[in-house]
Amino acid sequence: MSLTLSQLNQFSAPEFVRVIGPVFEHSPWIAAATWGKKPFADLKSLHRALCETVKNAAEEKQFALICAHPDLVGRAALAGTLTRESTGEQASAELNNLSSEEIELFQRQNAAYKSKFDFPFVICARLNKKAAILAGFERRLKNSRAEEVKTALEEIFKIAELRLHDLIAD
Ligand code: GUN
């Protein structure tokens, strides 16, 4: 589906949330809280407004957004129950045909990351392949929790930008 920004700028709140909601994983509240800022002059302004909503949200809402992300090569990925967007993202990082050793490595790293930070490891899978993601685990496991909250949100903003480009014609 390709939508123009001028169509989007005329959407009612429910239409806007239906279309833009999935730009943030399981978090339609972000689109809902951003609708009132329309019209958006361009895709960049729309992306900026959505990210501002997240940045201005309470810490627990930011935390819930991070936690809404599925593990890479996690249970949902292996069971085939990811959202359509997440399925494509994990496949683009070539995470959909790993050896059993690689699956175990991902699961060990997901568990190590979650036990240190109490939220899932988020990296923009469409901008990173398997090796870069595994290197990211190693590097980021050394960070502080505050650094990782910041990094996770930055990665989520990249994920959102790519999803927006999929939805809307420039
Ligand atoms: N979890 C970690 N990285 C990603 C990503 O790029 N997309 C989604 N949906 N979930 C993730």
Side-chain angles (χ1 to χ4, degrees):
M1 182 188 66
S2 203
L3 186 75
T4 65
L5 206 63
S6 72
Q7 287 172 312
L8 189 77
N9 280 329
Q10 290 166 34
F11 275 4
S12 65
E15 285 170 327
F16 187 85
V17 173
R18 181 177 57 77
V19 174
I20 299 300
V23 164
F24 290 91
E25 191 80 7
H26 300 302
S27 306
W29 60 270
I30 299 164
T34 308
W35 174 76
K37 297 193 185 145
K38 74 186 176 63
F40 304 101
D42 49 31
L43 209 65
K44 216 171 159 171
S45 316
L46 169 59
H47 180 251
R48 197 180 307 122
L50 291 163
C51 295
E52 282 301 311
T53 295
V54 175
K55 289 178 195 163
N56 293 331
E59 243 172 67
E60 45 296 7
K61 291 209 126 185
Q62 297 177 342
F63 181 68
L65 169 64
I66 298 170
C67 290
H69 286 72
D71 282 341
L72 295 171
V73 199
R75 204 175 313 157
L78 297 172
T81 58
L82 293 174
T83 61
R84 184 166 50 86
E85 291 82 359
S86 286
T87 302
E89 287 160 4
Q90 300 218 17
S92 109
E94 296 166 356
L95 300 180
N96 54 345
N97 53 3
L98 302 181
S99 67
S100 51
E101 289 77 16
E102 288 172 324
I103 292 174
E104 269 174 41
L105 175 58
F106 267 91
Q107 293 185 337
R108 261 201 317 278
Q109 294 292 55
N110 281 329
Y113 187 93
K114 233 179 239 174
S115 90
K116 175 160 182 189
F117 298 113
D118 196 28
F119 52 78
F121 178 72
V122 182
I123 187 167
C124 180
R126 277 161 81 179
L127 296 178
N128 293 276
K129 296 267 187 272
K130 177 173 65 185
I133 294 170
L134 288 171
F137 269 120
E138 292 291 339
R139 191 179 64 252
R140 288 172 50 186
L141 270 164
K142 299 184 189 117
N143 286 344
S144 69
R145 190 169 190 280
E147 282 170 322
E148 276 308 294
V149 168
K150 186 165 172 285
T151 302
L153 291 175
E154 285 164 359
E155 293 296 316
I156 289 168
F157 297 156
K158 292 182 206 168
I159 296 169
E161 188 177 1
L162 295 175
R163 290 184 181 186
L164 272 181
H165 275 283
D166 290 341
L167 285 176
I168 299 163
D170 278 304

PDB file of all heavy atoms in Angstrom, residues 25 66 68-73 82-83 85-87 89-90 93 95 110 120-127 133 155-156 159 163, ligand 1:
ATOM      1  N   GLU A  25       6.165  -1.044  17.206  1.00  0.00           N
ATOM      2  CA  GLU A  25       5.737  -2.408  17.545  1.00  0.00           C
ATOM      3  C   GLU A  25       4.735  -2.423  18.715  1.00  0.00           C
ATOM      4  O   GLU A  25       5.069  -1.959  19.827  1.00  0.00           O
ATOM      5  CB  GLU A  25       6.998  -3.225  17.895  1.00  0.00           C
ATOM      6  CG  GLU A  25       6.775  -4.707  18.010  1.00  0.00           C
ATOM      7  CD  GLU A  25       6.730  -5.398  16.644  1.00  0.00           C
ATOM      8  OE1 GLU A  25       6.997  -4.747  15.614  1.00  0.00           O
ATOM      9  OE2 GLU A  25       6.415  -6.591  16.621  1.00  0.00           O
ATOM     10  N   ILE A  66      10.000  -0.429  24.537  1.00  0.00           N
ATOM     11  CA  ILE A  66      11.179  -1.285  24.319  1.00  0.00           C
ATOM     12  C   ILE A  66      10.781  -2.752  24.531  1.00  0.00           C
ATOM     13  O   ILE A  66      11.105  -3.627  23.724  1.00  0.00           O
ATOM     14  CB  ILE A  66      12.338  -0.874  25.264  1.00  0.00           C
ATOM     15  CG1 ILE A  66      12.789   0.562  24.980  1.00  0.00           C
ATOM     16  CG2 ILE A  66      13.524  -1.834  25.101  1.00  0.00           C
ATOM     17  CD1 ILE A  66      13.768   1.142  26.006  1.00  0.00           C
ATOM     18  N   ALA A  68       8.031  -4.140  24.110  1.00  0.00           N
ATOM     19  CA  ALA A  68       7.092  -4.660  23.108  1.00  0.00           C
ATOM     20  C   ALA A  68       7.826  -5.312  21.933  1.00  0.00           C
ATOM     21  O   ALA A  68       7.191  -5.928  21.075  1.00  0.00           O
ATOM     22  CB  ALA A  68       6.198  -3.530  22.595  1.00  0.00           C
ATOM     23  N   HIS A  69       9.145  -5.166  21.885  1.00  0.00           N
ATOM     24  CA  HIS A  69       9.908  -5.748  20.769  1.00  0.00           C
ATOM     25  C   HIS A  69      10.226  -7.208  21.008  1.00  0.00           C
ATOM     26  O   HIS A  69      10.682  -7.577  22.083  1.00  0.00           O
ATOM     27  CB  HIS A  69      11.184  -4.926  20.509  1.00  0.00           C
ATOM     28  CG  HIS A  69      10.851  -3.626  19.851  1.00  0.00           C
ATOM     29  ND1 HIS A  69      10.237  -2.600  20.530  1.00  0.00           N
ATOM     30  CD2 HIS A  69      10.947  -3.230  18.559  1.00  0.00           C
ATOM     31  CE1 HIS A  69       9.986  -1.613  19.694  1.00  0.00           C
ATOM     32  NE2 HIS A  69      10.398  -1.966  18.490  1.00  0.00           N
ATOM     33  N   PRO A  70      10.004  -8.009  19.980  1.00  0.00           N
ATOM     34  CA  PRO A  70      10.300  -9.439  20.129  1.00  0.00           C
ATOM     35  C   PRO A  70      11.805  -9.665  20.117  1.00  0.00           C
ATOM     36  O   PRO A  70      12.551  -8.891  19.524  1.00  0.00           O
ATOM     37  CB  PRO A  70       9.674 -10.039  18.867  1.00  0.00           C
ATOM     38  CG  PRO A  70       9.729  -8.947  17.853  1.00  0.00           C
ATOM     39  CD  PRO A  70       9.544  -7.672  18.619  1.00  0.00           C
ATOM     40  N   ASP A  71      12.245 -10.712  20.776  1.00  0.00           N
ATOM     41  CA  ASP A  71      13.651 -11.098  20.687  1.00  0.00           C
ATOM     42  C   ASP A  71      13.972 -11.460  19.250  1.00  0.00           C
ATOM     43  O   ASP A  71      13.150 -12.050  18.547  1.00  0.00           O
ATOM     44  CB  ASP A  71      13.919 -12.340  21.552  1.00  0.00           C
ATOM     45  CG  ASP A  71      14.037 -11.998  23.021  1.00  0.00           C
ATOM     46  OD1 ASP A  71      14.278 -10.815  23.354  1.00  0.00           O
ATOM     47  OD2 ASP A  71      13.886 -12.925  23.837  1.00  0.00           O
ATOM     48  N   LEU A  72      15.202 -11.152  18.840  1.00  0.00           N
ATOM     49  CA  LEU A  72      15.688 -11.645  17.553  1.00  0.00           C
ATOM     50  C   LEU A  72      15.954 -13.131  17.735  1.00  0.00           C
ATOM     51  O   LEU A  72      16.614 -13.538  18.701  1.00  0.00           O
ATOM     52  CB  LEU A  72      16.965 -10.899  17.164  1.00  0.00           C
ATOM     53  CG  LEU A  72      16.754  -9.397  16.905  1.00  0.00           C
ATOM     54  CD1 LEU A  72      18.084  -8.678  16.746  1.00  0.00           C
ATOM     55  CD2 LEU A  72      15.886  -9.171  15.680  1.00  0.00           C
ATOM     56  N   VAL A  73      15.382 -13.931  16.838  1.00  0.00           N
ATOM     57  CA  VAL A  73      15.498 -15.391  16.945  1.00  0.00           C
ATOM     58  C   VAL A  73      14.940 -15.873  18.286  1.00  0.00           C
ATOM     59  O   VAL A  73      15.455 -16.814  18.901  1.00  0.00           O
ATOM     60  CB  VAL A  73      16.962 -15.876  16.766  1.00  0.00           C
ATOM     61  CG1 VAL A  73      17.008 -17.350  16.406  1.00  0.00           C
ATOM     62  CG2 VAL A  73      17.692 -15.086  15.685  1.00  0.00           C
ATOM     63  N   LEU A  82       5.337 -13.672  14.923  1.00  0.00           N
ATOM     64  CA  LEU A  82       5.715 -12.250  14.918  1.00  0.00           C
ATOM     65  C   LEU A  82       4.699 -11.436  14.127  1.00  0.00           C
ATOM     66  O   LEU A  82       3.993 -11.969  13.276  1.00  0.00           O
ATOM     67  CB  LEU A  82       7.085 -12.082  14.253  1.00  0.00           C
ATOM     68  CG  LEU A  82       8.292 -12.663  14.965  1.00  0.00           C
ATOM     69  CD1 LEU A  82       9.511 -12.518  14.064  1.00  0.00           C
ATOM     70  CD2 LEU A  82       8.528 -11.971  16.294  1.00  0.00           C
ATOM     71  N   THR A  83       4.719 -10.095  14.338  1.00  0.00           N
ATOM     72  CA  THR A  83       3.940  -9.222  13.454  1.00  0.00           C
ATOM     73  C   THR A  83       4.542  -9.310  12.048  1.00  0.00           C
ATOM     74  O   THR A  83       5.688  -9.714  11.882  1.00  0.00           O
ATOM     75  CB  THR A  83       3.998  -7.739  13.917  1.00  0.00           C
ATOM     76  OG1 THR A  83       5.357  -7.293  13.892  1.00  0.00           O
ATOM     77  CG2 THR A  83       3.411  -7.553  15.304  1.00  0.00           C
ATOM     78  N   GLU A  85       5.536  -6.947  10.155  1.00  0.00           N
ATOM     79  CA  GLU A  85       6.712  -6.078  10.055  1.00  0.00           C
ATOM     80  C   GLU A  85       7.944  -6.764  10.640  1.00  0.00           C
ATOM     81  O   GLU A  85       9.020  -6.762  10.054  1.00  0.00           O
ATOM     82  CB  GLU A  85       6.455  -4.754  10.794  1.00  0.00           C
ATOM     83  CG  GLU A  85       5.412  -3.848  10.135  1.00  0.00           C
ATOM     84  CD  GLU A  85       3.966  -4.218  10.457  1.00  0.00           C
ATOM     85  OE1 GLU A  85       3.742  -5.203  11.185  1.00  0.00           O
ATOM     86  OE2 GLU A  85       3.059  -3.531   9.968  1.00  0.00           O
ATOM     87  N   SER A  86       7.778  -7.372  11.815  1.00  0.00           N
ATOM     88  CA  SER A  86       8.923  -8.011  12.478  1.00  0.00           C
ATOM     89  C   SER A  86       9.425  -9.214  11.694  1.00  0.00           C
ATOM     90  O   SER A  86      10.630  -9.470  11.642  1.00  0.00           O
ATOM     91  CB  SER A  86       8.543  -8.470  13.889  1.00  0.00           C
ATOM     92  OG  SER A  86       8.444  -7.363  14.720  1.00  0.00           O
ATOM     93  N   THR A  87       8.501  -9.955  11.106  1.00  0.00           N
ATOM     94  CA  THR A  87       8.909 -11.124  10.315  1.00  0.00           C
ATOM     95  C   THR A  87       9.830 -10.680   9.186  1.00  0.00           C
ATOM     96  O   THR A  87      10.894 -11.269   8.967  1.00  0.00           O
ATOM     97  CB  THR A  87       7.665 -11.836   9.729  1.00  0.00           C
ATOM     98  OG1 THR A  87       6.820 -12.199  10.814  1.00  0.00           O
ATOM     99  CG2 THR A  87       8.048 -13.072   8.941  1.00  0.00           C
ATOM    100  N   GLU A  89      11.600  -7.938   9.015  1.00  0.00           N
ATOM    101  CA  GLU A  89      12.842  -7.363   9.547  1.00  0.00           C
ATOM    102  C   GLU A  89      13.836  -8.462   9.937  1.00  0.00           C
ATOM    103  O   GLU A  89      15.021  -8.381   9.628  1.00  0.00           O
ATOM    104  CB  GLU A  89      12.520  -6.443  10.734  1.00  0.00           C
ATOM    105  CG  GLU A  89      11.874  -5.151  10.249  1.00  0.00           C
ATOM    106  CD  GLU A  89      11.094  -4.377  11.296  1.00  0.00           C
ATOM    107  OE1 GLU A  89      11.095  -4.779  12.469  1.00  0.00           O
ATOM    108  OE2 GLU A  89      10.464  -3.379  10.935  1.00  0.00           O
ATOM    109  N   GLN A  90      13.332  -9.490  10.583  1.00  0.00           N
ATOM    110  CA  GLN A  90      14.246 -10.568  10.998  1.00  0.00           C
ATOM    111  C   GLN A  90      14.764 -11.327   9.771  1.00  0.00           C
ATOM    112  O   GLN A  90      15.925 -11.728   9.728  1.00  0.00           O
ATOM    113  CB  GLN A  90      13.553 -11.503  11.991  1.00  0.00           C
ATOM    114  CG  GLN A  90      13.109 -10.748  13.255  1.00  0.00           C
ATOM    115  CD  GLN A  90      13.257 -11.533  14.559  1.00  0.00           C
ATOM    116  OE1 GLN A  90      13.962 -12.527  14.648  1.00  0.00           O
ATOM    117  NE2 GLN A  90      12.593 -11.046  15.606  1.00  0.00           N
ATOM    118  N   ALA A  93      17.619  -9.465   8.050  1.00  0.00           N
ATOM    119  CA  ALA A  93      18.919  -9.641   8.721  1.00  0.00           C
ATOM    120  C   ALA A  93      19.428 -11.075   8.557  1.00  0.00           C
ATOM    121  O   ALA A  93      20.437 -11.439   9.161  1.00  0.00           O
ATOM    122  CB  ALA A  93      18.789  -9.286  10.193  1.00  0.00           C
ATOM    123  N   LEU A  95      18.076 -13.832   9.609  1.00  0.00           N
ATOM    124  CA  LEU A  95      17.973 -14.571  10.873  1.00  0.00           C
ATOM    125  C   LEU A  95      16.969 -15.711  10.774  1.00  0.00           C
ATOM    126  O   LEU A  95      16.653 -16.351  11.760  1.00  0.00           O
ATOM    127  CB  LEU A  95      17.551 -13.617  12.001  1.00  0.00           C
ATOM    128  CG  LEU A  95      18.504 -12.449  12.264  1.00  0.00           C
ATOM    129  CD1 LEU A  95      17.984 -11.590  13.395  1.00  0.00           C
ATOM    130  CD2 LEU A  95      19.909 -12.959  12.574  1.00  0.00           C
ATOM    131  N   ASN A 110      20.389 -13.282  24.037  1.00  0.00           N
ATOM    132  CA  ASN A 110      19.125 -12.635  24.443  1.00  0.00           C
ATOM    133  C   ASN A 110      18.936 -12.751  25.946  1.00  0.00           C
ATOM    134  O   ASN A 110      18.549 -11.783  26.616  1.00  0.00           O
ATOM    135  CB  ASN A 110      17.927 -13.308  23.753  1.00  0.00           C
ATOM    136  CG  ASN A 110      17.734 -12.851  22.304  1.00  0.00           C
ATOM    137  OD1 ASN A 110      18.052 -11.725  21.947  1.00  0.00           O
ATOM    138  ND2 ASN A 110      17.211 -13.737  21.467  1.00  0.00           N
ATOM    139  N   PRO A 120      14.354  -6.398  26.313  1.00  0.00           N
ATOM    140  CA  PRO A 120      14.962  -7.133  25.187  1.00  0.00           C
ATOM    141  C   PRO A 120      15.983  -6.300  24.414  1.00  0.00           C
ATOM    142  O   PRO A 120      15.919  -5.066  24.414  1.00  0.00           O
ATOM    143  CB  PRO A 120      13.765  -7.475  24.299  1.00  0.00           C
ATOM    144  CG  PRO A 120      12.729  -6.463  24.626  1.00  0.00           C
ATOM    145  CD  PRO A 120      12.934  -6.060  26.055  1.00  0.00           C
ATOM    146  N   PHE A 121      16.898  -6.980  23.773  1.00  0.00           N
ATOM    147  CA  PHE A 121      17.915  -6.337  22.934  1.00  0.00           C
ATOM    148  C   PHE A 121      17.252  -5.836  21.659  1.00  0.00           C
ATOM    149  O   PHE A 121      16.699  -6.627  20.896  1.00  0.00           O
ATOM    150  CB  PHE A 121      18.983  -7.379  22.587  1.00  0.00           C
ATOM    151  CG  PHE A 121      20.080  -6.887  21.693  1.00  0.00           C
ATOM    152  CD1 PHE A 121      21.036  -6.008  22.170  1.00  0.00           C
ATOM    153  CD2 PHE A 121      20.175  -7.323  20.378  1.00  0.00           C
ATOM    154  CE1 PHE A 121      22.079  -5.562  21.351  1.00  0.00           C
ATOM    155  CE2 PHE A 121      21.210  -6.878  19.548  1.00  0.00           C
ATOM    156  CZ  PHE A 121      22.160  -5.997  20.040  1.00  0.00           C
ATOM    157  N   VAL A 122      17.298  -4.521  21.438  1.00  0.00           N
ATOM    158  CA  VAL A 122      16.700  -3.968  20.223  1.00  0.00           C
ATOM    159  C   VAL A 122      17.790  -3.347  19.358  1.00  0.00           C
ATOM    160  O   VAL A 122      18.542  -2.471  19.804  1.00  0.00           O
ATOM    161  CB  VAL A 122      15.608  -2.914  20.532  1.00  0.00           C
ATOM    162  CG1 VAL A 122      14.991  -2.404  19.231  1.00  0.00           C
ATOM    163  CG2 VAL A 122      14.520  -3.505  21.416  1.00  0.00           C
ATOM    164  N   ILE A 123      17.864  -3.827  18.151  1.00  0.00           N
ATOM    165  CA  ILE A 123      18.776  -3.273  17.144  1.00  0.00           C
ATOM    166  C   ILE A 123      17.985  -3.279  15.848  1.00  0.00           C
ATOM    167  O   ILE A 123      17.159  -4.176  15.633  1.00  0.00           O
ATOM    168  CB  ILE A 123      20.068  -4.122  17.041  1.00  0.00           C
ATOM    169  CG1 ILE A 123      21.097  -3.466  16.122  1.00  0.00           C
ATOM    170  CG2 ILE A 123      19.776  -5.557  16.585  1.00  0.00           C
ATOM    171  CD1 ILE A 123      22.495  -4.095  16.224  1.00  0.00           C
ATOM    172  N   CYS A 124      18.174  -2.267  15.009  1.00  0.00           N
ATOM    173  CA  CYS A 124      17.394  -2.207  13.767  1.00  0.00           C
ATOM    174  C   CYS A 124      17.855  -3.341  12.845  1.00  0.00           C
ATOM    175  O   CYS A 124      18.917  -3.254  12.232  1.00  0.00           O
ATOM    176  CB  CYS A 124      17.564  -0.841  13.116  1.00  0.00           C
ATOM    177  SG  CYS A 124      16.640  -0.713  11.590  1.00  0.00           S
ATOM    178  N   ALA A 125      17.051  -4.385  12.774  1.00  0.00           N
ATOM    179  CA  ALA A 125      17.474  -5.601  12.063  1.00  0.00           C
ATOM    180  C   ALA A 125      17.634  -5.352  10.562  1.00  0.00           C
ATOM    181  O   ALA A 125      18.420  -6.029   9.910  1.00  0.00           O
ATOM    182  CB  ALA A 125      16.463  -6.723  12.314  1.00  0.00           C
ATOM    183  N   ARG A 126      16.915  -4.374  10.027  1.00  0.00           N
ATOM    184  CA  ARG A 126      17.047  -4.111   8.585  1.00  0.00           C
ATOM    185  C   ARG A 126      18.345  -3.393   8.253  1.00  0.00           C
ATOM    186  O   ARG A 126      18.722  -3.312   7.092  1.00  0.00           O
ATOM    187  CB  ARG A 126      15.851  -3.318   8.070  1.00  0.00           C
ATOM    188  CG  ARG A 126      14.683  -4.255   7.765  1.00  0.00           C
ATOM    189  CD  ARG A 126      13.396  -3.500   7.704  1.00  0.00           C
ATOM    190  NE  ARG A 126      13.199  -2.840   6.436  1.00  0.00           N
ATOM    191  CZ  ARG A 126      12.111  -2.114   6.149  1.00  0.00           C
ATOM    192  NH1 ARG A 126      11.156  -1.961   7.047  1.00  0.00           N
ATOM    193  NH2 ARG A 126      11.991  -1.552   4.970  1.00  0.00           N
ATOM    194  N   LEU A 127      19.009  -2.849   9.242  1.00  0.00           N
ATOM    195  CA  LEU A 127      20.280  -2.159   8.972  1.00  0.00           C
ATOM    196  C   LEU A 127      21.476  -2.990   9.439  1.00  0.00           C
ATOM    197  O   LEU A 127      22.607  -2.522   9.393  1.00  0.00           O
ATOM    198  CB  LEU A 127      20.297  -0.786   9.658  1.00  0.00           C
ATOM    199  CG  LEU A 127      19.264   0.228   9.158  1.00  0.00           C
ATOM    200  CD1 LEU A 127      19.359   1.529   9.956  1.00  0.00           C
ATOM    201  CD2 LEU A 127      19.464   0.522   7.666  1.00  0.00           C
ATOM    202  N   ILE A 133      24.823  -7.953  14.296  1.00  0.00           N
ATOM    203  CA  ILE A 133      23.933  -8.078  15.452  1.00  0.00           C
ATOM    204  C   ILE A 133      24.653  -8.803  16.589  1.00  0.00           C
ATOM    205  O   ILE A 133      24.611  -8.372  17.753  1.00  0.00           O
ATOM    206  CB  ILE A 133      22.623  -8.801  15.056  1.00  0.00           C
ATOM    207  CG1 ILE A 133      21.832  -7.920  14.066  1.00  0.00           C
ATOM    208  CG2 ILE A 133      21.784  -9.115  16.291  1.00  0.00           C
ATOM    209  CD1 ILE A 133      20.643  -8.601  13.422  1.00  0.00           C
ATOM    210  N   GLU A 155      17.420   2.938  18.195  1.00  0.00           N
ATOM    211  CA  GLU A 155      17.212   1.841  17.236  1.00  0.00           C
ATOM    212  C   GLU A 155      15.737   1.761  16.837  1.00  0.00           C
ATOM    213  O   GLU A 155      15.401   1.514  15.674  1.00  0.00           O
ATOM    214  CB  GLU A 155      17.699   0.512  17.815  1.00  0.00           C
ATOM    215  CG  GLU A 155      19.212   0.438  18.021  1.00  0.00           C
ATOM    216  CD  GLU A 155      20.012   0.522  16.706  1.00  0.00           C
ATOM    217  OE1 GLU A 155      19.636  -0.127  15.733  1.00  0.00           O
ATOM    218  OE2 GLU A 155      21.009   1.264  16.679  1.00  0.00           O
ATOM    219  N   ILE A 156      14.856   1.962  17.816  1.00  0.00           N
ATOM    220  CA  ILE A 156      13.415   1.936  17.537  1.00  0.00           C
ATOM    221  C   ILE A 156      13.050   3.069  16.574  1.00  0.00           C
ATOM    222  O   ILE A 156      12.215   2.897  15.677  1.00  0.00           O
ATOM    223  CB  ILE A 156      12.619   2.005  18.865  1.00  0.00           C
ATOM    224  CG1 ILE A 156      12.774   0.671  19.608  1.00  0.00           C
ATOM    225  CG2 ILE A 156      11.161   2.355  18.626  1.00  0.00           C
ATOM    226  CD1 ILE A 156      12.290   0.683  21.062  1.00  0.00           C
ATOM    227  N   ILE A 159      13.982   1.857  13.163  1.00  0.00           N
ATOM    228  CA  ILE A 159      12.986   0.872  12.712  1.00  0.00           C
ATOM    229  C   ILE A 159      11.743   1.616  12.207  1.00  0.00           C
ATOM    230  O   ILE A 159      11.194   1.320  11.139  1.00  0.00           O
ATOM    231  CB  ILE A 159      12.603  -0.098  13.859  1.00  0.00           C
ATOM    232  CG1 ILE A 159      13.815  -0.933  14.290  1.00  0.00           C
ATOM    233  CG2 ILE A 159      11.430  -0.989  13.456  1.00  0.00           C
ATOM    234  CD1 ILE A 159      13.598  -1.735  15.590  1.00  0.00           C
ATOM    235  N   ARG A 163       9.923   1.700   8.490  1.00  0.00           N
ATOM    236  CA  ARG A 163       8.516   1.295   8.342  1.00  0.00           C
ATOM    237  C   ARG A 163       7.695   2.419   7.711  1.00  0.00           C
ATOM    238  O   ARG A 163       6.794   2.160   6.900  1.00  0.00           O
ATOM    239  CB  ARG A 163       7.939   0.888   9.707  1.00  0.00           C
ATOM    240  CG  ARG A 163       8.519  -0.420  10.237  1.00  0.00           C
ATOM    241  CD  ARG A 163       7.851  -0.827  11.545  1.00  0.00           C
ATOM    242  NE  ARG A 163       8.429  -2.066  12.076  1.00  0.00           N
ATOM    243  CZ  ARG A 163       7.958  -2.705  13.151  1.00  0.00           C
ATOM    244  NH1 ARG A 163       6.908  -2.228  13.799  1.00  0.00           N
ATOM    245  NH2 ARG A 163       8.531  -3.817  13.572  1.00  0.00           N
TER     246      ARG A 163
HETATM  247  N1  GUN B   1      13.922  -6.765  18.062  1.00  0.00           N
HETATM  248  C1  GUN B   1      15.200  -6.473  17.891  1.00  0.00           C
HETATM  249  N2  GUN B   1      15.416  -5.846  16.730  1.00  0.00           N
HETATM  250  C2  GUN B   1      14.238  -5.728  16.134  1.00  0.00           C
HETATM  251  C3  GUN B   1      13.803  -5.166  14.888  1.00  0.00           C
HETATM  252  O1  GUN B   1      14.542  -4.624  14.072  1.00  0.00           O
HETATM  253  N3  GUN B   1      12.509  -5.257  14.655  1.00  0.00           N
HETATM  254  C4  GUN B   1      11.660  -5.825  15.536  1.00  0.00           C
HETATM  255  N4  GUN B   1      10.401  -5.854  15.225  1.00  0.00           N
HETATM  256  N5  GUN B   1      12.015  -6.370  16.667  1.00  0.00           N
HETATM  257  C5  GUN B   1      13.308  -6.306  16.985  1.00  0.00           C
END
